[in-house]
Amino acid sequence: MSKVITVSVNGEPRQLPPEATVEALIKEMGLAGKRIALERNGEIVPRSTFAAQFLSDGDRLEIVVAVGGG
């Protein structure tokens, strides 16, 4: 069993524990509670499923943070 998995977040490699979820990654990145859109391997991940989405070695994630203003 691998001690870490490597995922790509916005093109940057990031190492995580094998049981990492999307929710854990968001918290680690300091984005919890922010308005974000997340795509995993080309598929949009609904916010309601972040806690149940376990990441896999080699996943490609794109995270976009909504910026307010006007």
Side-chain angles (χ1 to χ4, degrees):
M1 190 84 162
S2 175
K3 297 243 189 292
V4 297
I5 62 171
T6 302
V7 300
S8 170
V9 179
N10 294 347
E12 296 291 322
R14 189 174 194 107
Q15 293 191 322
L16 301 166
E19 58 289 330
T21 62
V22 169
E23 182 179 61
L25 173 65
I26 297 301
K27 285 180 181 172
E28 181 183 301
M29 293 179 69
L31 299 174
K34 299 211 191 284
R35 295 179 57 198
I36 63 168
L38 188 139
E39 186 180 272
R40 177 183 181 193
N41 301 326
E43 302 284 325
I44 296 292
V45 178
R47 180 181 292 275
S48 62
T49 68
F50 282 5
Q53 292 273 335
F54 286 89
L55 297 170
S56 299
D57 196 46
D59 276 350
R60 293 181 331 277
L61 304 169
E62 293 294 327
I63 302 173
V64 178
V65 180
V67 178

